[in-house]
Amino acid sequence: MIKAVVWGENVHEKTSGIVADLYPNGMHTCIADALTAGGIDASTATLQEPDHGLLQSRLDNTDVLLWWGHAAHADVDDAVVERVADAVYGGMGLILLHSAHFSKIFKKLMETPCSLTWREAGERERLWVTSRHHPIARGLPNLFELDQEEMYGEPFSVPEPLETVFISWFEGGEVFRSGLTYRRGAGNVFYFRPGHEAYPTYHDANVQKVLVNAVNWAANPEARITDVHAAPNVDVAAALEPITARGPKLHEDGEEGFG
C-alpha cells in the first residue's frame, strides 16, 4: 500500500473561525481522510511538530508527501527543506497544494520566483482537463466546477512543465495552469492549484479524486536513491572498458574533486 504523509501548516485552522468551522480537525486531516478512503495509507504532519513532523526516518518511509502552506512559509526550517528536497531527488513523490506555490520547497525545486496574480472574491472556478488520458485525470469529467475559490491568474513564473493536466477559468475572466507535473531527480512532482482555506474545496469529490489519483501517479515503486549528492571519482582501473590514462591530471585516482 502506498504510504502518504499530508503536511499541513495548521495555522489558519487555529486562528480563523471560518477555517476551523470548515476543517475542525485541520485541512491536513480532511485530505488524509480522503486519501485513506481511496485506499492509501495516509498520515499527517504539521509545522508545529518537532522537525515539522518530517524526520529523516519518516521521509525514508514515505512514498508521497503532500504539502499545504500559506501564512508561515518563512517558518519552515531550511534543514527540513533540504531533507525533503533530497528525498524527492531520491524518488519520493511530492504534491504541492494551492499556496504551496510560494513554499520554500517548491521554490527550491523550481528555481524560479513561482509568482502569480490573485484575488480573494469567492469566484466560481471551472477546471478543464487538458490531458484526458493522464492518470491524474482518471475518472474525472472533461471539466468540473468549484462554486467558490480564490483566483490565481497568469503569468505563473514556473518552469515549463512536463505536462499540463488542468487549466482553470475564473468568473472574473482570468485563466491559470492549475495542474502541472515535473520530474526532479527520481521524484515525481505535481502542483495542484485549488485549496483556499476559506472555502470547502477539500470536501469536493472531484478534488479528492484528483488527490488520490495524484498520489498513485507520484508514487515510485523503485528503491530510494540515498546518495543523491555523490559524485565519485571513478578509478581508471574500474572503467568498464580497458583504458590508459593520458594527459595531465589535477587529482589522484579516487581523490575527491570538483565533480
Side-chain angles (χ1 to χ4, degrees), residues 235-246:
D235 193 289
V236 170
L240 294 177
E241 303 293 340
I243 59 172
T244 300
R246 300 185 297 167

Side-chain angles (χ1 to χ4, degrees), residues 101-102 114-118 151-157 176 191:
H101 73 91
F102 251 9
C114 302
S115 57
L116 45 79
T117 64
W118 63 280
M151 184 278 290
Y152 281 6
E154 297 286 349
F156 188 19
S157 61
F176 191 77
Y191 172 76

Side-chain angles (χ1 to χ4, degrees), residues 38-227:
I40 294 162
D41 181 358
S43 59
T44 65
T46 62
L47 176 71
Q48 295 79 20
E49 298 174 45
D51 283 85
H52 310 321
L54 299 175
L55 292 166
Q56 185 64 57
S57 57
R58 190 171 192 191
L59 292 174
D60 290 343
N61 289 285
T62 298
D63 297 310
V64 181
L65 175 64
L66 297 88
W67 190 285
W68 193 102
H70 185 188
H73 295 317
D75 295 338
V76 177
D77 188 86
D78 290 342
V80 174
V81 175
E82 294 296 325
R83 192 181 302 157
V84 171
D86 285 351
V88 173
Y89 297 145
M92 183 185 74
L94 179 65
I95 299 172
L96 291 308
L97 301 172
H98 191 57
S99 292
H101 73 91
F102 251 9
S103 64
K104 287 183 179 180
I105 182 60
F106 192 52
K107 286 190 169 188
K108 177 178 177 61
L109 294 175
M110 297 298 105
E111 297 185 320
T112 58
C114 302
S115 57
L116 45 79
T117 64
W118 63 280
R119 179 175 56 242
E120 188 183 27
E123 298 172 54
R124 180 162 51 96
E125 177 180 2
R126 180 178 296 150
L127 291 103
W128 289 91
V129 175
T130 56
S131 184
R132 293 179 65 185
H133 295 291
H134 197 284
I136 295 176
R138 182 175 293 119
L140 291 168
N142 288 338
L143 66 93
F144 63 94
E145 293 187 352
L146 300 172
D147 183 58
Q148 287 187 310
E149 251 298 347
E150 182 179 27
M151 184 278 290
Y152 281 6
E154 297 286 349
F156 188 19
S157 61
V158 291
E160 191 66 22
L162 292 176
E163 302 148 310
T164 299
V165 185
F166 303 103
I167 288 179
S168 289
W169 167 91
F170 293 90
E171 201 169 347
E174 289 87 356
V175 296
F176 191 77
R177 292 167 292 163
S178 285
L180 307 178
T181 69
Y182 296 93
R183 182 85 171 207
R184 291 295 181 265
N188 295 316
V189 178
F190 178 57
Y191 172 76
F192 187 50
R193 195 219 70 82
H196 185 54
E197 59 273 18
Y199 309 124
T201 299
Y202 293 121
H203 294 290
D204 182 85
N206 286 316
V207 169
Q208 292 181 358
K209 184 179 290 291
V210 170
L211 298 180
V212 170
N213 288 347
V215 168
N216 280 280
W217 168 86
N220 187 340
E222 302 300 322
R224 185 75 55 84
I225 300 168
T226 58
D227 56 347

